[in-house]
Amino acid sequence: MAHGEVLEFEEYVRTRQEALLRSARRLVPDPVDAQDLLQTALVRTYGRWDGIADKSLADAYLRRVMINTRTEWWRARKLEEVPTEQLPDASVEDGSEQRADRALLMDVLKVLAPKQRSVVVLRHWEQMSTEETAAALGMSAGTVKSTLHRALARLRQELEARELDARTLERYESRRADRRDGRERERCAA
């Protein structure tokens, strides 16, 4: 590269380095990595400076070099594995709890009248606004609000009743198990 082009590049870096560093900071979260990214991009650009015919596009060229460099770094990163003697206890979500919740919700929705069910589904599952729900169902916004209020109250009531039934069943099962264990102990003692 000719001496005049070296001076031109140095002047470019001197005048644009702050703006370019801000761009680098947007690309990588760590400020030190941003400085490294900019330096690497400047070194790569220096070698091609004479090939940039329109120097007004130098910022765009340099930003593209930074993006490509960051992508290279990301691809080359090492995913470090640390050997241990014991495997960590990892809880694996198999989705069964979500499926059970969904099944319960679908079952509980059956207690609602069709109009209430429609309002609940559109407002909470489809995430429509009150106005959108009213338009879709051909009712006023006030009717949507009152219907939704009554439907949610009915759902809460049904869920609480089922919770009580589940606890009652649990207590009953526990007492049966206790009696069975007592009979087992009596047989063993005899």
Side-chain angles (χ1 to χ4, degrees):
M1 186 173 353
H3 183 67
E5 288 183 340
V6 171
L7 293 175
E8 183 183 17
F9 183 76
E10 288 176 357
E11 181 61 26
Y12 169 75
V13 171
R14 207 174 0 273
T15 58
R16 300 297 301 149
Q17 71 182 8
E18 291 302 317
L20 294 170
L21 184 58
R22 281 193 301 272
S23 294
R25 285 188 180 141
R26 289 185 192 113
L27 292 172
V28 292
D30 184 72
V32 174
D33 287 344
Q35 290 174 350
D36 289 345
L37 177 62
L38 178 57
Q39 288 299 317
T40 303
L42 287 171
V43 168
R44 290 179 177 183
T45 303
Y46 178 77
R48 300 208 179 248
W49 186 253
D50 56 346
I52 302 173
D54 187 358
K55 302 298 189 217
S56 65
L57 300 177
D59 278 6
Y61 181 86
L62 198 62
R63 285 188 177 100
R64 174 51 50 196
V65 172
M66 284 193 286
I67 290 168
N68 291 343
T69 302
R70 187 224 30 213
T71 303
E72 287 172 20
W73 289 357
W74 182 81
R75 287 179 181 155
R77 76 192 187 285
K78 291 181 182 175
L79 301 176
E80 295 184 20
E81 294 181 13
V82 179
T84 61
E85 295 202 14
Q86 287 185 325
L87 291 175
D89 292 333
S91 63
V92 176
E93 293 290 326
D94 64 354
S96 60
E97 200 170 307
Q98 286 178 328
R99 283 191 292 281
D101 288 346
R102 184 177 177 87
L104 173 65
L105 189 55
M106 295 301 288
D107 192 45
V108 169
L109 279 173
K110 291 176 186 173
V111 304
L112 297 178
K115 180 177 162 182
Q116 289 178 328
R117 191 174 326 122
S118 298
V119 169
V120 169
V121 167
L122 291 178
R123 284 288 288 129
H124 290 285
W125 274 355
E126 298 298 325
Q127 297 183 344
M128 289 179 147
S129 69
T130 302
E131 292 74 23
E132 291 170 330
T133 303
L137 297 176
M139 57 177 71
S140 70
T143 303
V144 168
K145 290 177 185 178
S146 62
T147 303
L148 181 62
H149 177 75
R150 284 192 295 278
L152 292 177
R154 178 70 180 104
L155 288 174
R156 268 187 226 98
Q157 190 179 45
E158 182 67 22
L159 286 170
E160 288 170 2
R162 289 179 185 219
E163 178 75 21
L164 284 173
D165 289 347
R167 277 191 252 141
T168 302
L169 180 62
E170 215 173 87
R171 274 188 250 128
Y172 172 74
E173 292 292 332
S174 176
R175 281 189 231 130
R176 272 186 60 196
D178 289 346
R179 284 193 295 253
R180 189 174 46 241
D181 290 345
R183 286 193 298 265
E184 288 289 324
R185 277 188 237 117
E186 287 175 6
R187 274 191 234 142
C188 289

